mmCIF file with all atom_site columns, all heavy atoms in Angstrom:
data_model
loop_
_atom_site.group_PDB
_atom_site.id
_atom_site.type_symbol
_atom_site.label_atom_id
_atom_site.label_alt_id
_atom_site.label_comp_id
_atom_site.label_asym_id
_atom_site.label_entity_id
_atom_site.label_seq_id
_atom_site.pdbx_PDB_ins_code
_atom_site.Cartn_x
_atom_site.Cartn_y
_atom_site.Cartn_z
_atom_site.occupancy
_atom_site.B_iso_or_equiv
_atom_site.pdbx_formal_charge
_atom_site.auth_seq_id
_atom_site.auth_comp_id
_atom_site.auth_asym_id
_atom_site.auth_atom_id
_atom_site.pdbx_PDB_model_num
ATOM 1   N N   . ASN A 1 311 ? 0.014  22.046 -14.958 1.00 94.00 ? 333 ASN A N   1
ATOM 2   C CA  . ASN A 1 311 ? 0.922  21.594 -16.042 1.00 94.00 ? 333 ASN A CA  1
ATOM 3   C C   . ASN A 1 311 ? 2.019  20.692 -15.466 1.00 94.00 ? 333 ASN A C   1
ATOM 4   O O   . ASN A 1 311 ? 2.627  21.076 -14.451 1.00 94.00 ? 333 ASN A O   1
ATOM 5   C CB  . ASN A 1 311 ? 1.499  22.839 -16.718 1.00 94.00 ? 333 ASN A CB  1
ATOM 6   C CG  . ASN A 1 311 ? 2.505  22.519 -17.772 1.00 94.00 ? 333 ASN A CG  1
ATOM 7   O OD1 . ASN A 1 311 ? 3.678  22.376 -17.464 1.00 94.00 ? 333 ASN A OD1 1
ATOM 8   N ND2 . ASN A 1 311 ? 2.024  22.471 -18.989 1.00 94.00 ? 333 ASN A ND2 1
ATOM 9   N N   . TRP A 1 312 ? 2.269  19.566 -16.124 1.00 96.00 ? 334 TRP A N   1
ATOM 10  C CA  . TRP A 1 312 ? 3.272  18.597 -15.638 1.00 96.00 ? 334 TRP A CA  1
ATOM 11  C C   . TRP A 1 312 ? 4.658  19.229 -15.515 1.00 96.00 ? 334 TRP A C   1
ATOM 12  O O   . TRP A 1 312 ? 5.372  18.999 -14.548 1.00 96.00 ? 334 TRP A O   1
ATOM 13  C CB  . TRP A 1 312 ? 3.287  17.358 -16.533 1.00 96.00 ? 334 TRP A CB  1
ATOM 14  C CG  . TRP A 1 312 ? 4.366  16.400 -16.235 1.00 96.00 ? 334 TRP A CG  1
ATOM 15  C CD1 . TRP A 1 312 ? 5.358  15.963 -17.073 1.00 96.00 ? 334 TRP A CD1 1
ATOM 16  C CD2 . TRP A 1 312 ? 4.599  15.674 -15.000 1.00 96.00 ? 334 TRP A CD2 1
ATOM 17  N NE1 . TRP A 1 312 ? 6.170  15.019 -16.461 1.00 96.00 ? 334 TRP A NE1 1
ATOM 18  C CE2 . TRP A 1 312 ? 5.708  14.856 -15.212 1.00 96.00 ? 334 TRP A CE2 1
ATOM 19  C CE3 . TRP A 1 312 ? 3.961  15.622 -13.745 1.00 96.00 ? 334 TRP A CE3 1
ATOM 20  C CZ2 . TRP A 1 312 ? 6.205  14.011 -14.219 1.00 96.00 ? 334 TRP A CZ2 1
ATOM 21  C CZ3 . TRP A 1 312 ? 4.471  14.814 -12.800 1.00 96.00 ? 334 TRP A CZ3 1
ATOM 22  C CH2 . TRP A 1 312 ? 5.570  13.985 -13.018 1.00 96.00 ? 334 TRP A CH2 1
ATOM 23  N N   . GLN A 1 313 ? 5.061  20.048 -16.475 1.00 95.00 ? 335 GLN A N   1
ATOM 24  C CA  . GLN A 1 313 ? 6.363  20.645 -16.439 1.00 95.00 ? 335 GLN A CA  1
ATOM 25  C C   . GLN A 1 313 ? 6.471  21.588 -15.243 1.00 95.00 ? 335 GLN A C   1
ATOM 26  O O   . GLN A 1 313 ? 7.498  21.641 -14.598 1.00 95.00 ? 335 GLN A O   1
ATOM 27  C CB  . GLN A 1 313 ? 6.643  21.406 -17.731 1.00 95.00 ? 335 GLN A CB  1
ATOM 28  C CG  . GLN A 1 313 ? 8.110  21.869 -17.862 1.00 95.00 ? 335 GLN A CG  1
ATOM 29  C CD  . GLN A 1 313 ? 8.486  22.277 -19.287 1.00 95.00 ? 335 GLN A CD  1
ATOM 30  O OE1 . GLN A 1 313 ? 7.707  22.091 -20.137 1.00 95.00 ? 335 GLN A OE1 1
ATOM 31  N NE2 . GLN A 1 313 ? 9.665  22.837 -19.424 1.00 95.00 ? 335 GLN A NE2 1
ATOM 32  N N   . ALA A 1 314 ? 5.378  22.287 -14.927 1.00 95.00 ? 336 ALA A N   1
ATOM 33  C CA  . ALA A 1 314 ? 5.380  23.158 -13.737 1.00 95.00 ? 336 ALA A CA  1
ATOM 34  C C   . ALA A 1 314 ? 5.488  22.342 -12.460 1.00 95.00 ? 336 ALA A C   1
ATOM 35  O O   . ALA A 1 314 ? 6.140  22.775 -11.515 1.00 95.00 ? 336 ALA A O   1
ATOM 36  C CB  . ALA A 1 314 ? 4.088  24.027 -13.705 1.00 95.00 ? 336 ALA A CB  1
ATOM 37  N N   . CYS A 1 315 ? 4.853  21.153 -12.436 1.00 96.00 ? 337 CYS A N   1
ATOM 38  C CA  . CYS A 1 315 ? 4.976  20.284 -11.293 1.00 96.00 ? 337 CYS A CA  1
ATOM 39  C C   . CYS A 1 315 ? 6.422  19.803 -11.053 1.00 96.00 ? 337 CYS A C   1
ATOM 40  O O   . CYS A 1 315 ? 6.909  19.816 -9.948  1.00 96.00 ? 337 CYS A O   1
ATOM 41  C CB  . CYS A 1 315 ? 4.102  19.056 -11.439 1.00 96.00 ? 337 CYS A CB  1
ATOM 42  S SG  . CYS A 1 315 ? 2.311  19.433 -11.524 1.00 96.00 ? 337 CYS A SG  1
ATOM 43  N N   . LEU A 1 316 ? 7.081  19.513 -12.168 1.00 96.00 ? 338 LEU A N   1
ATOM 44  C CA  . LEU A 1 316 ? 8.465  19.082 -12.068 1.00 96.00 ? 338 LEU A CA  1
ATOM 45  C C   . LEU A 1 316 ? 9.374  20.241 -11.615 1.00 96.00 ? 338 LEU A C   1
ATOM 46  O O   . LEU A 1 316 ? 10.232 20.067 -10.771 1.00 96.00 ? 338 LEU A O   1
ATOM 47  C CB  . LEU A 1 316 ? 8.968  18.553 -13.462 1.00 96.00 ? 338 LEU A CB  1
ATOM 48  C CG  . LEU A 1 316 ? 8.452  17.205 -13.870 1.00 96.00 ? 338 LEU A CG  1
ATOM 49  C CD1 . LEU A 1 316 ? 8.920  16.926 -15.312 1.00 96.00 ? 338 LEU A CD1 1
ATOM 50  C CD2 . LEU A 1 316 ? 8.885  16.117 -12.960 1.00 96.00 ? 338 LEU A CD2 1
ATOM 51  N N   . ASP A 1 317 ? 9.178  21.393 -12.202 1.00 96.00 ? 339 ASP A N   1
ATOM 52  C CA  . ASP A 1 317 ? 9.929  22.556 -11.841 1.00 96.00 ? 339 ASP A CA  1
ATOM 53  C C   . ASP A 1 317 ? 9.835  22.913 -10.328 1.00 96.00 ? 339 ASP A C   1
ATOM 54  O O   . ASP A 1 317 ? 10.839 23.111 -9.636  1.00 96.00 ? 339 ASP A O   1
ATOM 55  C CB  . ASP A 1 317 ? 9.489  23.821 -12.597 1.00 96.00 ? 339 ASP A CB  1
ATOM 56  C CG  . ASP A 1 317 ? 9.921  23.752 -14.118 1.00 96.00 ? 339 ASP A CG  1
ATOM 57  O OD1 . ASP A 1 317 ? 10.877 22.978 -14.400 1.00 96.00 ? 339 ASP A OD1 1
ATOM 58  O OD2 . ASP A 1 317 ? 9.314  24.420 -14.915 1.00 96.00 ? 339 ASP A OD2 1
ATOM 59  N N   . TYR A 1 318 ? 8.569  22.807 -9.812  1.00 96.00 ? 340 TYR A N   1
ATOM 60  C CA  . TYR A 1 318 ? 8.358  23.106 -8.419  1.00 96.00 ? 340 TYR A CA  1
ATOM 61  C C   . TYR A 1 318 ? 9.094  22.041 -7.531  1.00 96.00 ? 340 TYR A C   1
ATOM 62  O O   . TYR A 1 318 ? 9.851  22.391 -6.609  1.00 96.00 ? 340 TYR A O   1
ATOM 63  C CB  . TYR A 1 318 ? 6.854  23.046 -8.054  1.00 96.00 ? 340 TYR A CB  1
ATOM 64  C CG  . TYR A 1 318 ? 6.601  22.899 -6.556  1.00 96.00 ? 340 TYR A CG  1
ATOM 65  C CD1 . TYR A 1 318 ? 6.588  24.009 -5.751  1.00 96.00 ? 340 TYR A CD1 1
ATOM 66  C CD2 . TYR A 1 318 ? 6.405  21.625 -6.070  1.00 96.00 ? 340 TYR A CD2 1
ATOM 67  C CE1 . TYR A 1 318 ? 6.411  23.818 -4.373  1.00 96.00 ? 340 TYR A CE1 1
ATOM 68  C CE2 . TYR A 1 318 ? 6.239  21.443 -4.693  1.00 96.00 ? 340 TYR A CE2 1
ATOM 69  C CZ  . TYR A 1 318 ? 6.212  22.533 -3.847  1.00 96.00 ? 340 TYR A CZ  1
ATOM 70  O OH  . TYR A 1 318 ? 6.088  22.360 -2.511  1.00 96.00 ? 340 TYR A OH  1
ATOM 71  N N   . MET A 1 319 ? 8.810  20.797 -7.830  1.00 97.00 ? 341 MET A N   1
ATOM 72  C CA  . MET A 1 319 ? 9.398  19.732 -7.028  1.00 97.00 ? 341 MET A CA  1
ATOM 73  C C   . MET A 1 319 ? 10.912 19.717 -7.036  1.00 97.00 ? 341 MET A C   1
ATOM 74  O O   . MET A 1 319 ? 11.549 19.691 -5.962  1.00 97.00 ? 341 MET A O   1
ATOM 75  C CB  . MET A 1 319 ? 8.887  18.348 -7.545  1.00 97.00 ? 341 MET A CB  1
ATOM 76  C CG  . MET A 1 319 ? 9.452  17.132 -6.826  1.00 97.00 ? 341 MET A CG  1
ATOM 77  S SD  . MET A 1 319 ? 8.861  15.566 -7.475  1.00 97.00 ? 341 MET A SD  1
ATOM 78  C CE  . MET A 1 319 ? 9.727  15.504 -9.065  1.00 97.00 ? 341 MET A CE  1
ATOM 79  N N   . LEU A 1 320 ? 11.494 19.829 -8.232  1.00 97.00 ? 342 LEU A N   1
ATOM 80  C CA  . LEU A 1 320 ? 12.970 19.727 -8.312  1.00 97.00 ? 342 LEU A CA  1
ATOM 81  C C   . LEU A 1 320 ? 13.679 20.935 -7.729  1.00 97.00 ? 342 LEU A C   1
ATOM 82  O O   . LEU A 1 320 ? 14.759 20.866 -7.221  1.00 97.00 ? 342 LEU A O   1
ATOM 83  C CB  . LEU A 1 320 ? 13.346 19.485 -9.777  1.00 97.00 ? 342 LEU A CB  1
ATOM 84  C CG  . LEU A 1 320 ? 12.834 18.088 -10.309 1.00 97.00 ? 342 LEU A CG  1
ATOM 85  C CD1 . LEU A 1 320 ? 13.186 17.979 -11.782 1.00 97.00 ? 342 LEU A CD1 1
ATOM 86  C CD2 . LEU A 1 320 ? 13.407 16.997 -9.508  1.00 97.00 ? 342 LEU A CD2 1
ATOM 87  N N   . ALA A 1 321 ? 13.050 22.120 -7.915  1.00 97.00 ? 343 ALA A N   1
ATOM 88  C CA  . ALA A 1 321 ? 13.683 23.303 -7.332  1.00 97.00 ? 343 ALA A CA  1
ATOM 89  C C   . ALA A 1 321 ? 13.753 23.206 -5.812  1.00 97.00 ? 343 ALA A C   1
ATOM 90  O O   . ALA A 1 321 ? 14.786 23.578 -5.229  1.00 97.00 ? 343 ALA A O   1
ATOM 91  C CB  . ALA A 1 321 ? 12.863 24.573 -7.712  1.00 97.00 ? 343 ALA A CB  1
ATOM 92  N N   . ASN A 1 322 ? 12.711 22.685 -5.215  1.00 97.00 ? 344 ASN A N   1
ATOM 93  C CA  . ASN A 1 322 ? 12.715 22.582 -3.766  1.00 97.00 ? 344 ASN A CA  1
ATOM 94  C C   . ASN A 1 322 ? 13.681 21.466 -3.290  1.00 97.00 ? 344 ASN A C   1
ATOM 95  O O   . ASN A 1 322 ? 14.341 21.564 -2.253  1.00 97.00 ? 344 ASN A O   1
ATOM 96  C CB  . ASN A 1 322 ? 11.300 22.256 -3.276  1.00 97.00 ? 344 ASN A CB  1
ATOM 97  C CG  . ASN A 1 322 ? 10.468 23.490 -3.156  1.00 97.00 ? 344 ASN A CG  1
ATOM 98  O OD1 . ASN A 1 322 ? 10.542 24.278 -2.209  1.00 97.00 ? 344 ASN A OD1 1
ATOM 99  N ND2 . ASN A 1 322 ? 9.584  23.661 -4.152  1.00 97.00 ? 344 ASN A ND2 1
ATOM 100 N N   . ILE A 1 323 ? 13.723 20.390 -4.068  1.00 97.00 ? 345 ILE A N   1
ATOM 101 C CA  . ILE A 1 323 ? 14.677 19.304 -3.699  1.00 97.00 ? 345 ILE A CA  1
ATOM 102 C C   . ILE A 1 323 ? 16.124 19.792 -3.882  1.00 97.00 ? 345 ILE A C   1
ATOM 103 O O   . ILE A 1 323 ? 17.047 19.484 -3.085  1.00 97.00 ? 345 ILE A O   1
ATOM 104 C CB  . ILE A 1 323 ? 14.439 18.047 -4.535  1.00 97.00 ? 345 ILE A CB  1
ATOM 105 C CG1 . ILE A 1 323 ? 13.072 17.448 -4.152  1.00 97.00 ? 345 ILE A CG1 1
ATOM 106 C CG2 . ILE A 1 323 ? 15.567 17.011 -4.443  1.00 97.00 ? 345 ILE A CG2 1
ATOM 107 C CD1 . ILE A 1 323 ? 12.640 16.302 -4.999  1.00 97.00 ? 345 ILE A CD1 1
ATOM 108 N N   . LEU A 1 324 ? 16.393 20.564 -4.912  1.00 96.00 ? 346 LEU A N   1
ATOM 109 C CA  . LEU A 1 324 ? 17.736 21.131 -5.154  1.00 96.00 ? 346 LEU A CA  1
ATOM 110 C C   . LEU A 1 324 ? 18.147 21.986 -3.970  1.00 96.00 ? 346 LEU A C   1
ATOM 111 O O   . LEU A 1 324 ? 19.299 22.004 -3.531  1.00 96.00 ? 346 LEU A O   1
ATOM 112 C CB  . LEU A 1 324 ? 17.763 21.939 -6.447  1.00 96.00 ? 346 LEU A CB  1
ATOM 113 C CG  . LEU A 1 324 ? 19.081 22.612 -6.766  1.00 96.00 ? 346 LEU A CG  1
ATOM 114 C CD1 . LEU A 1 324 ? 20.224 21.553 -6.922  1.00 96.00 ? 346 LEU A CD1 1
ATOM 115 C CD2 . LEU A 1 324 ? 18.955 23.455 -8.081  1.00 96.00 ? 346 LEU A CD2 1
#
Side-chain angles (χ1 to χ4, degrees):
N333 176 274
W334 173 239
Q335 190 165 351
C337 296
L338 288 175
D339 287 340
Y340 161 83
M341 177 180 73
L342 296 176
N344 281 283
I345 291 174
L346 179 61

